[in-house]
Every structure is written in structure tokens, then in C-alpha cells.
Amino acid sequence: TGLLLSRGLIPHIVATVDALPRRSIGASILPLRTPKGTFAVDTSSGKPMLDSKDFARYGPYMKIAEAVDSRTLVTWYVHWYPLFQQAYRELGYPQGYFNDRLIAAIDDMLAAPNAQPPIALAATPDGHYVFADPTWESLSVGQKLMIRIGPEHERTLKAKLRSIRALLLGQAPVFHAAAEAQPATASSSH
């Protein structure tokens, strides 16, 4: 754990969680590498569609998500929460709690539409692809990820997120108390 912490894992996690409910995210802040392989597009129908083969690129991440015990993960998070809170403040949020942002990010991902293939794409002038449905293209980073990973992975990941969310909410008072556990100041003597 020390090795991971010394490499800045927590600040990367904090920045990623903060960005998930937003419309865009910088690849440099992701704590994990992007999936291997190239983005698969099926053009056999004459229109670009998200190729279901692309879902397999997320397999290694899903194996990790499935293997990690939610309670163990939340226990680790609670233990290191002061570092998460510190990284959140350093990211530019002197007020508020990282745990609240984490719950908001989880809720946002859980609200992703249950997309079923075929998923239409549209080519951009620079050769990239976006969702053809403007409503889907305007979704947050986290919700678009839920569509890109495919329906089966989405069900699995949403179940894991619901489990983590329930555990986090059961621990919520601990987070606020831990974040405020700082030396008493003259202003707290009221």
C-alpha cells in the first residue's frame, strides 16, 4: 500500500472521481491505463456502430472489479480517508468533503442509461467517434463509460457500485468526523 500511496495513487483517484460526473476528463489524471487495443467500430450496416467486440477490452478491469471485495475496499478507503480529503482540498476544494463527491459520482454512474446494442456512432472531422444520439453524447464521462463497457459489464459494475455505495453511506459519519479531526483552534471554543 505504501508504494501505491507514494506514487500518487490517491490524488489520481480523487481527480478521476471528481471528473466522472463532468462532460470531459483529461487522460493524464486517470489512475489506470486506458484499455488495450483499438476502439472497435462496426460499419457493416453502412453506418458506424459501436462494435460489441469492443466490450472485451474492458474485461481485465471487470475481473479486478469483480475480484475486489466491496467491504475490504471501503475499509481501505476509510483508513486512508484523510489522504483522500487532503487530495480533494489540494485539487481546489477547500470546503466540502471528498466522500460527498464520491457518492455523487457513484449516483451519476448508476443513473447511466441501460444502453443496448446496436449503439450508433458518428464520425468527427478529426477521425474520432462520438455517440450519434446527442443526448448520449452530452452525458457525463462516467455515464458514457457505462455505455462503452457494454450491457453485461454495466450490470456487473452497477451492482458493485450499489454495494460500495451502501457501505459508504453506512460509514458516512466517520468520514466527516475524520476529516475534521484536526487540532482545536481558538474559534472552536464556542
Side-chain angles (χ1 to χ4, degrees):
T1 303
L3 178 64
L4 293 175
L5 296 178
S6 68
R7 293 196 176 181
L9 177 67
I10 287 178
H12 279 294
I13 291 171
V14 168
T16 300
V17 167
D18 181 55
L20 284 170
R22 300 183 194 286
R23 299 246 347 251
S24 64
I25 188 170
S28 63
I29 68 170
L30 295 173
L32 300 170
R33 289 191 178 92
T34 54
K36 289 185 177 182
T38 56
F39 181 71
V41 178
D42 180 357
T43 56
S44 63
S45 68
K47 294 183 178 179
M49 299 287 180
L50 180 59
D51 194 325
S52 59
K53 292 180 201 154
D54 200 62
F55 305 152
R57 294 190 318 138
Y58 296 92
Y61 300 96
M62 294 308 300
K63 283 182 184 169
I64 293 168
E66 290 175 50
V68 172
D69 176 71
S70 297
R71 191 170 299 280
T72 301
L73 181 65
V74 170
T75 300
W76 176 83
Y77 170 70
V78 170
H79 177 78
W80 293 107
Y81 185 74
L83 295 179
F84 283 92
Q85 183 63 26
Q86 177 186 343
Y88 190 59
R89 293 214 166 134
E90 289 170 1
L91 193 60
Y93 300 100
Q95 305 297 320
Y97 299 100
F98 174 70
N99 195 62
D100 295 340
R101 186 63 174 170
L102 177 58
I103 294 293
I106 290 172
D107 287 346
D108 181 68
M109 290 179 79
L110 290 174
N114 296 316
Q116 296 299 317
I119 298 167
L121 301 173
T124 63
D126 62 1
H128 290 93
Y129 288 93
V130 295
F131 293 118
D133 181 334
T135 304
W136 284 9
E137 188 52 36
S138 69
L139 294 174
S140 69
V141 170
Q143 290 182 349
K144 285 196 258 190
L145 173 66
M146 295 302 255
I147 295 171
R148 279 196 299 272
I149 65 176
E152 187 179 329
H153 291 329
E154 179 189 8
R155 279 190 296 279
T156 301
L157 189 53
K158 281 184 174 180
K160 180 65 77 168
L161 289 172
R162 280 194 277 290
S163 165
I164 290 168
R165 184 184 191 282
L167 290 164
L168 287 172
L169 290 179
Q171 302 260 356
V174 174
F175 295 117
H176 290 202
E180 297 302 323
Q182 299 182 7
T185 62
S187 64
S188 64
S189 60
H190 295 310

